[in-house]
Amino acid sequence: MTGKAATYTHGHHESVLRSHTWRTAQNSAAYLLPRLRPGLTLLDIGCGPGTITADLAELVAPGRVVAIDSAQEALDQAAAHAQAVGLGDRIEFTTGDVHELAFEDDTFDVVHAHQVLQHVGDPVLALREMRRVCKPGGIVAARDSDYRGFLWYPELPKLDDWLRLYVDLARANGGTPDAGRFLLAWAHAAGFEDVTASSTTWCYADETTRPWWGELWSERVVKSQFARSAVAKGLATEEELEAHSAAWLEWSAHPDGWISLVHGEILCRA
């Protein structure tokens, strides 16, 4: 059982990890939290630097928690974070592929994936695997952004160009940049019948969050794997990327700057 190949569009540059370490269970998995209780077993897929994982582990303690990611450098950072917050012996970290999970059927009470399905080659197969390792009556939870649903002000033309580039590059890498809107359909295609779908947003519009978001993207578009891939695939020139970077800084410095990033969410009963 293997999924179609896909390349992680963002890579693991510091500007990417800076945004990932901002994530918590409260700001990124609030839709799941009412379903959690002490003693549940939980699998966190695509854990990244592990900040969400650690929060979830505290909520299901003393239940077993396993976190997987395809990148060892992300797992190393996640393990270090768990150790720093006193959860080093509570979470097991290991490499893995969501298309072919290395666990027996009916292993976990909760299977969670945040910002994962948009980056995989076969999201329906991934959800089938998540369902397979989830115990009957358990919960499969996924949340993914929908780039084509992002809104911002001021409406700078170079940010429109950035969005078109991101969508084209993510698709060229085998992903689905507007995954949020497809989660319900993918869950049904994966065989789930009891699915609760919802949406939430991240909004950056104050003097702290706006420059933080704008500055990290101004770096990503010129320094991260995103930049290297865009140039290598002939989708953008370095000069165009520099213009996108400048536009992010212009947006972040605007006193009326505002952005809303929409996410789709699903809670699936196994």
Side-chain angles (χ1 to χ4, degrees):
M1 181 186 300
T2 57
K4 294 179 289 186
T7 300
Y8 183 49
T9 297
H10 297 286
H12 295 91
H13 184 265
E14 188 277 333
S15 60
V16 177
L17 295 177
R18 196 188 321 156
S19 67
H20 291 182
T21 55
W22 167 84
R23 298 171 182 175
T24 65
Q26 190 59 51
N27 67 32
S28 300
Y31 72 108
L32 171 62
L33 302 190
R35 307 295 185 101
L36 302 182
R37 65 179 188 275
L40 294 179
T41 55
L42 184 144
L43 173 64
D44 192 23
I45 297 172
C47 66
T51 50
I52 298 175
T53 313
D55 287 348
L56 297 177
E58 288 190 310
L59 293 170
V60 301
R64 176 192 180 208
V65 175
V66 179
I68 70 170
D69 201 282
S70 60
Q72 186 60 52
E73 59 188 302
L75 290 170
D76 292 342
Q77 184 172 354
H81 175 73
Q83 192 68 37
V85 297
L87 295 170
D89 59 350
R90 288 278 336 286
I91 308 171
E92 175 188 344
F93 295 97
T94 184
T95 55
D97 178 1
V98 68
H99 297 107
E100 193 167 8
L101 296 170
F103 305 101
E104 298 294 328
D105 296 358
D106 308 335
T107 299
F108 299 96
D109 296 301
V110 180
V111 181
H112 168 261
H114 184 264
Q115 310 286 28
V116 172
L117 297 181
Q118 64 183 284
H119 296 297
V120 304
D122 192 334
V124 173
L125 175 58
L127 282 165
R128 286 178 183 148
E129 272 291 274
M130 294 168 70
R131 181 187 182 200
R132 179 185 65 79
V133 302
C134 190
K135 296 177 183 178
I139 293 292
V140 170
R143 182 175 190 259
D144 271 275
S145 54
D146 189 320
Y147 275 76
R148 288 198 295 142
F150 289 4
L151 298 171
W152 58 78
Y153 180 85
E155 297 177 350
L156 304 177
K158 288 301 179 182
L159 289 187
D160 294 335
D161 293 343
W162 162 82
L163 180 58
R164 282 190 290 269
L165 172 61
Y166 182 89
V167 169
D168 289 347
L169 179 58
R171 287 175 176 163
N173 282 337
T176 310
D178 45 5
R181 70 188 64 189
F182 296 113
L183 292 181
L184 178 60
W186 288 343
H188 288 158
F192 289 102
E193 296 180 359
D194 184 353
V195 184
T196 300
S198 58
S199 68
T200 52
T201 64
W202 289 333
C203 183
Y204 306 122
D206 59 44
E207 296 306 316
T208 299
T209 62
R210 183 176 61 247
W212 173 78
W213 184 255
E215 288 166 13
L216 70 84
W217 260 108
S218 76
E219 290 184 41
R220 278 199 212 187
V221 297
V222 292
K223 296 181 179 180
S224 71
Q225 182 61 40
F226 171 90
R228 292 190 293 273
S229 295
V231 173
K233 292 180 183 295
L235 296 175
T237 65
E238 293 183 0
E239 290 75 16
E240 287 169 333
L241 295 178
E242 290 287 352
H244 297 172
S245 177
W248 274 114
L249 291 178
E250 179 183 354
W251 171 83
S252 68
H254 198 290
D256 299 323
W258 173 95
I259 191 167
S260 177
L261 313 181
V262 66
H263 296 77
E265 304 158 343
I266 49 171
L267 289 170
C268 311
R269 181 71 66 178

